[in-house]
C-alpha cells in the first residue's frame, strides 16, 4: 500500500512540475491579470523588421564592434496574422557583434523610438535565431508613466529559429510594477516597446556572434477600447 501511495505521489509531483515548466515556457494570456470575465484578447503585430534604419544596435566601445542590417528571409514555421494577409513580410533584422575580449558585457538593440501597444498587453513574442549561444535575451519596455522595465525572455542557447515569448506581469495594486492604464491620467497606449538587451555569457563572448530577429507581436486586451461608446469624451485634453 505504501509503495502504491508513493508511486501516486511521485506521478502527481512530476505532472505538476511538467505543467509548471510548460506554463513558464508558454504563458497563457487569458489568465494573466485576469480578475474579470471582461476581456477582448487580440494578437497584434508590433513590428515586422521590414524598414531599414528603424532599429539600432549598440555595445560599449571597450567591449567590441556591432552592426545591424536587414536580410531577406523569414522563419518557415511562422504563421501570418489573418488581419495582415498580403502585407509584405520578407525581411529579418540581423545583428553582428565582434568582441574584443571575453568578459561580462551586454549589447542593445533599440527601436529608433518606443513602439506603443494599445490596450493592456498580456504577452510579448518574437522569432529569434540565437546561434546556440547561451546568452540571455530581455525585452525593454516603458509603462503608462514612462517608467522603464526589463522582462527576461530566455536563453539564446538553441539552433535555428525559435518563437520566444514572455508574460507582462500585472500591477498588484495599480500603483506599483508595470502600470498599463489609469483612470486618473487620460487615455494613451499602456505599454511601449523600447528594444532588447542581450547579456553575454562571459565564457562565450569572444570572436564574432550573430543573432537574427523577426515578427515582434503582442497579445493585448482591447476590451476598454472596443467597448467605448462612440459619443464618449476622450480624457486627453
Amino acid at each position: 500500500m505504501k509503495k502504491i501511495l508513493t508511486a501516486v505521489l511521485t506521478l502527481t509531483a512530476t505532472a505538476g512540475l511538467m505543467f509548471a515548466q510548460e506554463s513558464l515556457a508558454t504563458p497563457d494570456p487569458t489568465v494573466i491579470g485576469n480578475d474579470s470575465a471582461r476581456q477582448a484578447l487580440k494578437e497584434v503585430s508590433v513590428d515586422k523588421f521590414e524598414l531599414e534604419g528603424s532599429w539600432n544596435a549598440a555595445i560599449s566601445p571597450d567591449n567590441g564592434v556591432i552592426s545591424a542590417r536587414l536580410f531577406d528571409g523569414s522563419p518557415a514555421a511562422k504563421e501570418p496574422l489573418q488581419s495582415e494577409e498580403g502585407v509584405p513580410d520578407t525581411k529579418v533584422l540581423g545583428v553582428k557583434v565582434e568582441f574584443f575580449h571575453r568578459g561580462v558585457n551586454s549589447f542593445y538593440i533599440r527601436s529608433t523610438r518606443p513602439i506603443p501597444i494599445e490596450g493592456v498587453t498580456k504577452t510579448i513574442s518574437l522569432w529569434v535565431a540565437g546561434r546556440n549561444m547561451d546568452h540571455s535575451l530581455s525585452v525593454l519596455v516603458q509603462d503608462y508613466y514612462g517608467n522603464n522595465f526589463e522582462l527576461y525572455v530566455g536563453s539564446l542557447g538553441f539552433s535555428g529559429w525559435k518563437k520566444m515569448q514572455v508574460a507582462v506581469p500585472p500591477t498588484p495594486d495599480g500603483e506599483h510594477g508595470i502600470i498599463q492604464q489609469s483612470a486618473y491620467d487620460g487615455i494613451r497606449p499602456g505599454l511601449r516597446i523600447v528594444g532588447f538587451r542581450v547579456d553575454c555569457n562571459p565564457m562565450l563572448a569572444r570572436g564574432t556572434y550573430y543573432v537574427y530577429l523577426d515578427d515582434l507581436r503582442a497579445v493585448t486586451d482591447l476590451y476598454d477600447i472596443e467597448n467605448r461608446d462612440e459619443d464618449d469624451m476622450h480624457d486627453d485634453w
Side-chain angles (χ1 to χ4, degrees):
M1 182 66 180
K2 289 183 178 180
K3 291 183 178 180
I4 296 176
L5 180 60
T6 301
V8 171
L9 292 175
T10 301
L11 288 173
T12 303
T14 303
L17 179 59
M18 292 176 63
F19 175 78
Q21 290 176 340
E22 182 179 357
S23 299
L24 290 173
T26 55
D28 185 355
T30 63
V31 298
I32 298 173
N34 183 17
D35 56 0
S36 169
R38 300 179 302 172
Q39 286 198 112
L41 298 180
K42 183 178 180 181
E43 186 175 25
V44 297
S45 175
V46 179
D47 194 89
K48 294 180 176 296
F49 300 98
E50 295 290 303
L51 186 60
E52 194 75 57
S54 59
W55 292 84
N56 301 312
I59 190 173
S60 169
D62 295 330
N63 295 329
V65 177
I66 193 168
S67 58
R69 52 163 291 196
L70 297 182
F71 290 87
D72 293 331
S74 181
K78 181 179 66 177
E79 297 182 0
L81 295 174
Q82 292 184 354
S83 60
E84 295 190 336
E85 291 183 356
V87 177
D89 186 11
T90 60
K91 304 288 186 180
V92 302
L93 177 68
V95 177
K96 174 183 177 182
V97 185
E98 299 173 85
F99 295 106
F100 291 154
H101 51 75
R102 287 178 176 169
V104 179
N105 57 69
S106 304
F107 62 88
Y108 295 84
I109 306 168
R110 293 190 179 95
S111 175
T112 53
R113 53 184 173 181
I115 306 174
I117 305 174
E118 287 190 317
V120 178
T121 303
K122 302 292 186 176
T123 63
I124 299 170
S125 67
L126 75 160
W127 285 84
V128 184
R131 289 298 180 262
N132 203 21
M133 291 288 183
D134 193 24
H135 305 316
S136 298
L137 177 68
S138 297
V139 58
L140 310 177
V141 301
Q142 288 181 348
D143 73 353
Y144 189 88
Y145 294 112
N147 298 316
N148 294 303
F149 296 88
E150 59 183 64
L151 301 174
Y152 174 73
V153 180
S155 169
L156 300 178
F158 55 86
S159 298
W161 286 101
K162 177 182 178 180
K163 184 178 181 180
M164 305 182 71
Q165 56 185 333
V166 60
V168 180
T171 172
D173 54 10
E175 296 182 0
H176 300 87
I178 301 178
I179 301 174
Q180 298 197 53
Q181 60 183 0
S182 172
Y184 302 101
D185 295 286
I187 300 172
R188 59 177 178 269
L191 197 73
R192 292 177 289 277
I193 304 293
V194 176
F196 306 94
R197 189 186 70 235
V198 177
D199 297 317
C200 302
N201 184 319
M203 298 303 296
L204 302 176
R206 63 185 180 88
T208 303
Y209 174 65
Y210 299 88
V211 62
Y212 300 89
L213 311 178
D214 192 30
D215 201 25
L216 178 60
R217 297 184 184 181
V219 174
T220 180
D221 182 6
L222 300 173
Y223 181 87
D224 288 341
I225 296 175
E226 293 182 350
N227 290 276
R228 185 180 182 87
D229 292 334
E230 295 181 0
D231 58 354
D232 198 356
M233 299 296 101
H234 289 275
D235 302 332
D236 56 359
W237 51 281

